[in-house]
Amino acid sequence: MLIMVTGGVCSGKTQFALSHASTLAREGIYITDQYAKPLPEKMRAPSRLRKIHMSSHQSLPDTLDHINKESNFFLADRRIVIIDSLTCWMISEIKNCWNSADQLRVKARVEQLKEVICSYQGLLLIITNEMYGSFHPSEEEKLFTSSMAEMNRLIATGSDQVFTLTSGIASEISRNKIRF
C-alpha cells in the first residue's frame, strides 16, 4: 500500500503522517536525512518506530531496496516505512550537480527510486512537498522542480491514499474526502 502526504513548508506533514501511520501499523521505520530536526516526544507515531538518518554517502533507493529485500513478505503489512522527505533527498542529489554528467546521474537515481517505489512490498508512506516554480529559474532550479513534479505525479497516481495538508488540516484528495 502506497500513501502520499504532500503540502507546503511547515504545513504539518510529518505530524499528520506519523499519526496516520500509527493507525495503520504498530511498528515502523522512519527514514530521514541527517539534518532533520528531532521529533517531538508528544508526537503520535507507531509504538515501535526505528529511525534511520541517512548521511550524504547513503542512497534513498538503495536503503529502501535493502529494507524491501530483507523484509519478511508475510509480515510486510504489519510495518510501515515512512520517508521524510522525498524533497530533502532530491535537494541533496541536486546540490552535487555540477555538469551535464552529474545531471544524467541524478536522472538515473530518480529512475532507480521510481523502480524501487513501484516494486516495494508493504506499507510505504512518502512525505513530499508541493512544487512551485519562480519566474526566472536557474538551470538547477528547473532540474529540481521538474524532477520533483515528475516524482510527485508518479507517486500520486500509484498511491492508494493521497493527503494534502494546509495549515495542519489534512484533506484526502484521492477519494475527495476531508479528514481532520
Side-chain angles (χ1 to χ4, degrees), residues 108-121:
R109 296 275 286 252
V110 169
E111 290 301 317
Q112 182 187 10
L113 182 61
K114 286 180 191 176
E115 289 174 21
V116 170
I117 288 171
C118 292
S119 66
Y120 187 80
Q121 301 294 314

Side-chain angles (χ1 to χ4, degrees), residues 38-84:
L39 295 174
E41 292 297 321
K42 295 180 182 178
M43 191 175 286
R44 203 169 103 205
S47 58
R48 289 181 295 208
L49 185 67
R50 190 176 91 204
K51 296 176 181 88
I52 298 176
H53 293 279
M54 289 181 26
S55 61
S56 57
H57 68 277
Q58 292 173 304
S59 158
L60 179 59
D62 293 339
T63 301
L64 192 55
D65 192 42
H66 176 75
I67 291 168
N68 195 27
K69 287 178 180 174
E70 296 297 316
S71 295
N72 181 335
F73 177 75
F74 298 105
L75 300 175
D77 61 343
R78 294 183 186 173
R79 181 191 67 216
I80 189 163
V81 175
I82 304 155
I83 298 173
D84 189 6

Side-chain angles (χ1 to χ4, degrees), residues 124-147:
L124 179 62
L125 192 152
I126 299 175
I127 301 170
T128 185
N129 286 49
E130 284 295 320
M131 287 295 98
Y132 306 105
S134 65
F135 290 115
H136 303 287
S138 66
E139 289 302 313
E140 183 179 68
E141 189 178 357
K142 286 178 188 175
L143 176 64
F144 172 73
T145 305
S146 64
S147 297

